[in-house]
Amino acid sequence: MSTLIRNGTVVNADATFPADILVEGEKIKEVRAGIPETAATRVLDATGLLVMPGGIDAHTHLDMPFGGTTSSDDFETGTRAAAFGGTTTIVDFAIQPRGTRMRDALDTWWKKADGKAQIDYGLHMIVTDLGGAGLEDMDDMVREGVASFKLFMAYPNVLMVDDATIFRALSQTAKNGALVCMHAENGSVIDVIVARALAEGKTAPIYHALTRPTTAEAEAVHRAIALAEIARAPVYIVHLSSEDALNEVREARDRGLPAFAETCPQYLLLSIEELDRPNFEGAKYVFTPPLREKKNLPKLWDGLKHDHLQVVSTDHCPFCFEDQKALGKSDFTKIPNGGPGIENRLQLIYHHGVNQGKLTLNRFVELVSTAPARIFGMFPRKGVLAAGSDADIILWDPAADHTISAQTHHMRVDYSMFEGFRVKGNVRTVMSCGEVILDGGVFLGKAGRGRFLKRQARGGAWT
Ligand code: URP
Ligand code: ZN
Ligand code: ZN
């Protein structure tokens, strides 16, 4: 099957231009003005639409056991919701339980995705243990296309690893070309503050935020970058939430270090007051790092504009309010940490970034697609509209009005963090590897059609 996308405005990270796109099979064959209609068996008219590379969400948690429960979207519902928002690739996280081999974790996550994923997916490996064959396992993962690892400086006794483990992991990536992603919060100090709060009877959701100071994030970011510098490896800070933490990344980058960071829509658009909602509704906004004071928000937008931050991902980790967030009704530390967002990333960043003049259209594409493709070893297969790339293409209607709501969203979760947010600009058509999987609000994809993406080591963080 061949498809011609005609009369659209093509937007890549480096250029915007009127052009047609010819797709043959799974790949883009040609991008230029004036491709004749006769070249294809099917024509999609993109008059008045922006034609952009599909979104890449480099941080999702589907079907993930966490906080005594499991995130409510699995690979079937989560990737379907992603497509509804114009995302055509995700990178999810497999978890190595302590004392086990990473290959077993990889097998477990492949099984979770098998027959379910509706768009292409990659995997990072969460490392909890480098004893035994841990370093060999990291090399093994890289050979399998799992070219990035996440390590936690938070959640003592659960996921947190010590500095020696972080340094050993970073040193291994200096050899095998993978990328370490850091959850940067000083978990040991936070645990002391949390214990004090509980001892004082402070159990409501707001204390989740009040016990996790921005300094604890900034200290961990600083330490992560210092360890990476000693190991001579790049490092990528996930879900960066505050100005204090951002300053650490900016200073490192100004010194020429290969330090990278992402933030997420929730940190750009919401603030700490959400956790103080009555009737336990603050629990809907319990994730880590927590929401911060409002003054941080413009700093993060500025960071995106000036490339102090390179990526916007979602950290999609949904838990239903009624029966999952409720686990922490009498103790905020028992609220499963995480929030939903896989469906709304492009809508929110386009509306609040491009429409409101904070980001150019090209920077928008870079943040939501091209940069994650480069940094995580998928470029130029993904993240650009060019001959030879996968035909992951979205047709975007800049005039479409949409109101975000749990009543109409496709994520399997009973609330939206952005309930009632009105956005202008939304996806009209989504093509994944040459197949139209969404058109005019009608889903045409199929569970199991999405494939595991083997990602390359020595991606953009190394060059
Ligand atoms: O609260 C969060 N962010 N949950 C997901 C796990 C993580 O730390 O990314
Ligand atoms: Zn994290
Ligand atoms: Zn996460």
Side-chain angles (χ1 to χ4, degrees), residues 34-48:
I35 302 176
E37 271 195 30
T38 48
T41 47
R42 166 175 67 178
V43 175
L44 299 179
D45 183 21
T47 304

Side-chain angles (χ1 to χ4, degrees), residues 62 74-77 79-80 90 112-121 446-452:
L62 302 176
D74 63 11
F75 275 81
E76 182 166 349
T77 61
T79 56
R80 183 170 177 272
I90 59 163
K112 285 174 188 277
D114 196 32
K116 291 193 167 183
Q118 322 231 25
I119 55 174
D120 286 353
Y121 71 97
K446 196 164 129 275
R449 63 167 296 287
R451 286 173 303 197
F452 173 68

Side-chain angles (χ1 to χ4, degrees), residues 54-125:
I56 299 177
D57 191 342
H59 190 151
T60 68
H61 301 278
L62 302 176
D63 197 0
M64 184 179 81
F66 197 49
T69 182
T70 300
S71 60
S72 58
D73 267 320
D74 63 11
F75 275 81
E76 182 166 349
T77 61
T79 56
R80 183 170 177 272
F84 267 97
T87 287
T88 52
T89 302
I90 59 163
V91 191
D92 205 82
F93 290 85
I95 306 179
Q96 173 215 19
R98 284 219 169 97
T100 69
R101 303 297 298 264
M102 293 181 201
R103 178 155 290 275
D104 295 335
L106 182 58
D107 284 341
T108 301
W109 255 262
W110 274 340
K111 281 198 194 102
K112 285 174 188 277
D114 196 32
K116 291 193 167 183
Q118 322 231 25
I119 55 174
D120 286 353
Y121 71 97
L123 290 170
H124 313 276
M125 179 61 63

Side-chain angles (χ1 to χ4, degrees), residues 122-374:
L123 290 170
H124 313 276
M125 179 61 63
I126 292 178
V127 174
T128 60
D129 187 358
L130 280 184
L135 297 178
E136 286 162 41
D137 278 9
M138 287 180 71
D139 292 349
D140 185 31
M141 290 301 101
V142 173
R143 283 190 293 272
E144 289 289 359
V146 178
S148 45
F149 300 89
K150 182 178 179 188
L151 282 81
F152 283 78
M153 301 168 104
Y155 302 122
N157 307 315
V158 187
L159 294 167
M160 189 171 115
V161 288
D162 60 15
D163 288 354
T165 302
I166 294 167
F167 182 64
R168 290 172 75 219
L170 284 161
S171 303
Q172 198 67 13
T173 63
K175 291 186 232 161
N176 66 27
L179 179 62
V180 166
C181 304
M182 291 299 316
H183 179 128
E185 285 183 297
N186 187 322
S188 308
V189 168
I190 287 169
D191 258 21
V192 173
I193 304 173
V194 165
R196 281 185 197 151
L198 290 177
E200 290 167 16
K202 295 170 173 167
T203 59
I206 185 68
Y207 292 105
H208 172 74
L210 296 177
T211 53
R212 305 184 92 89
T214 57
T215 336
E217 184 183 22
E219 183 280 325
V221 169
H222 183 90
R223 187 161 29 108
I225 293 172
L227 296 175
E229 184 177 8
I230 303 168
R232 296 177 186 275
V235 67
Y236 178 94
I237 309 296
V238 292
H239 47 45
L240 186 141
S241 70
S242 66
E243 181 188 8
D244 287 346
L246 175 61
N247 287 342
E248 296 292 341
V249 176
R250 196 192 57 237
E251 279 166 25
R253 289 177 64 81
D254 285 350
R255 284 203 291 128
L257 292 177
F260 302 83
E262 64 175 23
T263 190
C264 313
Q266 52 272 33
Y267 301 119
L268 292 160
L269 297 167
L270 304 173
S271 54
I272 187 167
E273 294 77 19
E274 304 290 357
L275 284 99
D276 222 1
R277 287 181 181 230
N279 304 320
F280 191 61
E281 294 231 358
K284 294 177 176 174
Y285 303 88
V286 168
F287 39 78
T288 52
L291 291 175
R292 305 300 192 181
E293 285 177 36
K294 273 206 177 80
K295 64 178 184 192
N296 290 276
L297 279 53
K299 305 293 180 187
L300 296 180
W301 280 108
D302 231 48
L304 291 175
K305 183 173 174 182
H306 294 110
D307 201 35
H308 307 315
L309 296 167
Q310 289 69 47
V311 171
V312 178
S313 63
T314 61
D315 194 10
H316 177 75
C317 188
F319 297 105
C320 289
F321 179 64
E322 280 303 322
D323 58 338
Q324 295 186 294
K325 292 285 185 181
L327 293 169
K329 263 228 151 103
S330 54
D331 175 351
F332 72 89
T333 65
K334 306 266 186 327
I335 300 169
N337 284 198
I342 202 168
E343 187 167 348
N344 305 123
R345 181 178 62 122
L346 270 60
Q347 297 158 352
L348 290 166
I349 302 305
Y350 183 87
H351 181 80
H352 291 274
V354 179
N355 288 348
Q356 297 188 7
K358 296 190 197 86
L359 303 173
T360 65
L361 201 45
N362 304 102
R363 182 66 180 153
F364 165 74
V365 168
E366 187 162 33
L367 290 165
V368 302
S369 181
T370 312
R374 279 187 200 280

